[in-house]
Amino acid sequence: MEVTTNPIFDDVSIAFTSKSNRQLRKAYWLFTLMGKGWLVAIGKFFVKLGFALHLPISKIIYWTVYDQFCGGVTIKDSQGTIDELASHGIGSILDYSVEGAKNEKGFDKTMAEILKTIDRAADDDNIPFCVFKPSGVALGKIFTKIQAGKALTEKEQAIHQRNKERIEKICKVAYEKNVRVLIDAEESWLQDPIDELVYQMMEKYNKETAIVYNTYQMYRADMFENLKKAHKRAKEKGYYIGAKLVRGAYMEKEAERAEEMGYPNPIQISKERTDIDYNSALEYCVENLDNIFVFNGTHNQYSNYFLAYMMDKHGIKPNDERVHFAQLYGMSDNISFNLAHKGYNVAKYVPYGPVKAVMPYLFRRAEENTAVAGQSSREFSLIKEELQRRREERKKS
């Protein structure tokens, strides 16, 4: 369904109301630099080299790109970010962005940190969701082998059992503390057994409301149909679906693996097709809010407007608990702050962790702003517009 958009995200005075002139100028230069792909590549190389040589570069990173995209080193350290967003009606989703060791000790450590975020979120409306990535608490190659239809060895069966126990423990604690938990998506070749496990968690813990949310990457050609099948299963078994919609994060890896292994690329044939399925999925969720809770995780302006439009069309109040909008901290403030200003449920993903440990996350943000068409230039233009508006305001006064 095509809907003509309107400029509800254009008020830069609302978008940057939380930013000082100094913060805006810093963001201005950051997005200027991230708009240059060659510079991002060089910067990534020298940061890695700096850490390898034990050079004192953490403070430089902390006061620049880290400060733009991360909440703090620890949960406690992120409190200032949580409070600042809350003062503008925006929730925080604490995202432990450390990519731990892929062994039992590393998985247990990550699980323990996720449980801390759930404890922190309990009874705090300013933290409406927690989140974790299955590969952060479970060995991905086990899921890959299961999806390929191969039998697990006795040792692998034991590992898989521990995988499931960690994921269930997180979901169980979330249920007991009434904290909604988002389970992020993985690559297509290991996602099916993860989906099955998530739906088992939903059947256990989503009887009264949506506690457990699965993630649907709509750049996969089969994903809209997967969402419909999941909804049908939920209705038959009597539980709520928590549906986090995103466009997707593994496009290059998916294409390379499909070509290498000789199977059809699971990614949509075009961005337009992805957009159509994404917005169709939003419409489907809104039309089935009796047992679907939708989490709209996108920086796409049209999709955010479209969801707001569909809510209005169906008489759904902006603050209906079944619908949430979300963007990453440090990006698309024009969307987040303007939606929150109009009373919608909005949250920011707020990554945290030690500077060196979250560098993979920060590299992805820099690359995303370089690769996504218009992302850096849009951020740059909006910040430039707000700085100009403030200059004119000062002249008038």
Side-chain angles (χ1 to χ4, degrees):
M1 177 180 181
E2 187 65 28
V3 177
T4 302
T5 189
N6 71 19
I8 66 171
F9 304 123
D10 290 351
D11 193 332
V12 290
S13 66
I14 293 174
F16 300 112
T17 185
S18 69
K19 302 294 183 186
S20 67
N21 289 336
R22 184 188 64 80
Q23 288 172 316
L24 276 180
R25 284 192 290 269
K26 184 167 72 173
Y28 177 93
W29 287 110
L30 277 174
F31 284 110
T32 300
L33 296 174
M34 284 188 291
K36 305 179 188 301
W38 62 271
L39 197 55
V40 169
I42 291 173
K44 184 176 177 180
F45 170 80
F46 280 109
V47 167
K48 288 183 175 180
L49 181 63
F51 278 120
L53 297 176
H54 304 288
L55 299 177
I57 61 174
S58 290
K59 284 188 177 180
I60 297 172
I61 295 168
Y62 184 89
W63 292 113
T64 53
V65 65
Y66 183 98
D67 188 48
Q68 177 69 26
F69 296 113
C70 297
V73 175
T74 64
I75 293 174
K76 184 178 180 180
D77 192 36
S78 303
Q79 190 60 50
T81 300
I82 295 168
D83 292 342
E84 179 62 36
L85 290 172
S87 70
H88 299 285
I90 297 174
S92 295
I93 303 169
L94 292 170
D95 183 10
Y96 183 55
S97 295
V98 174
E99 300 187 1
K102 301 302 180 184
N103 54 44
E104 292 296 309
K105 184 178 179 181
F107 295 145
D108 286 342
K109 183 179 178 182
T110 300
M111 180 187 69
E113 189 66 29
I114 293 162
L115 293 176
K116 288 180 184 177
T117 67
I118 294 173
D119 285 340
R120 177 63 189 80
D123 303 315
D124 189 342
D125 291 339
N126 295 328
I127 307 176
F129 292 87
C130 288
V131 60
F132 74 95
K133 193 172 173 61
S135 59
V137 296
L139 193 61
K141 68 180 183 181
I142 301 295
F143 293 122
T144 300
K145 193 168 182 180
I146 292 171
Q147 184 159 326
K150 298 177 181 178
L152 299 181
T153 65
E154 187 173 330
K155 182 180 178 181
E156 288 171 335
Q157 288 174 2
I159 293 172
H160 185 48
Q161 181 60 33
R162 290 194 293 273
N163 285 349
K164 292 191 294 183
E165 287 171 358
R166 276 186 290 266
I167 290 172
E168 170 139 26
K169 183 171 183 178
I170 293 169
C171 294
K172 184 174 185 290
V173 171
Y175 171 75
E176 290 171 347
K177 294 182 178 292
N178 195 32
V179 174
R180 294 174 180 174
V181 61
L182 306 163
I183 302 180
D184 282 345
E186 302 284 355
E187 294 90 343
S188 65
W189 56 86
L190 66 153
Q191 187 64 47
D192 289 356
I194 292 173
D195 284 344
E196 179 57 34
L197 183 55
V198 174
Y199 294 138
Q200 290 173 18
M201 296 300 98
M202 286 188 185
E203 189 174 350
K204 272 190 175 184
Y205 302 119
N206 285 13
K207 292 290 189 181
E208 298 92 10
T209 186
I211 293 293
V212 179
Y213 282 63
N214 201 19
T215 299
Y216 299 87
Q217 299 192 102
M218 302 310 298
Y219 72 172
R220 278 182 50 177
D222 61 346
M223 199 50 61
F224 188 21
E225 194 59 35
N226 286 359
L227 173 62
K228 292 177 181 177
K229 290 176 182 176
H231 180 220
K232 182 175 182 292
R233 174 175 172 170
K235 286 196 295 184
E236 290 172 352
K237 293 180 176 288
Y239 60 86
Y240 291 94
I241 280 281
K244 174 188 170 185
L245 302 186
V246 298
R247 276 172 168 75
Y250 308 109
M251 188 160 64
E252 290 79 10
K253 289 172 70 176
E254 292 282 3
E256 288 171 5
R257 189 176 191 272
E259 183 177 0
E260 180 184 326
M261 302 192 70
Y263 61 81
N265 187 347
I267 303 302
Q268 303 269 18
I269 60 172
S270 66
K271 182 183 182 301
E272 181 183 19
R273 186 65 250 176
T274 299
D275 291 341
I276 289 170
D277 272 14
Y278 190 99
N279 296 328
S280 297
L282 287 177
E283 185 172 13
Y284 181 86
C285 289
V286 171
E287 290 174 348
N288 291 280
L289 281 184
D290 53 334
N291 55 0
I292 295 181
F293 285 57
V294 61
F295 181 99
N296 181 37
T298 183
H299 291 214
N300 183 284
Q301 291 195 174
Y302 180 82
S303 291
N304 282 292
Y305 173 72
F306 181 74
L307 178 54
Y309 169 85
M310 290 302 300
M311 291 173 70
D312 183 62
K313 177 184 175 182
H314 289 271
I316 299 160
K317 293 180 180 179
N319 65 347
D320 191 301
E321 67 161 352
R322 298 170 295 179
V323 184
H324 279 79
F325 298 76
Q327 290 78 42
L328 297 173
Y329 181 67
M331 295 171 62
S332 298
D333 284 347
N334 65 310
I335 296 174
S336 309
F337 281 77
N338 277 292
L339 281 171
H341 184 71
K342 295 179 185 301
Y344 291 93
N345 296 320
V346 183
K348 286 281 199 182
Y349 262 66
V350 178
Y352 74 94
V355 174
K356 184 178 180 180
V358 301
M359 283 314 302
Y361 174 86
L362 293 174
F363 286 147
R364 286 196 294 274
R365 295 291 73 77
E367 289 165 353
E368 178 179 294
N369 276 280
T370 300
V372 176
Q375 182 67 44
S376 272
S377 60
R378 183 178 71 182
E379 301 282 358
F380 174 83
S381 298
L382 290 166
I383 294 168
K384 184 178 179 181
E385 182 182 341
E386 174 60 4
L387 287 170
Q388 179 62 33
R389 187 194 69 79
R390 292 184 184 186
R391 281 193 292 269
E392 291 174 359
E393 284 290 316
R394 285 197 300 272
K395 287 179 183 178
K396 289 178 184 177
S397 60

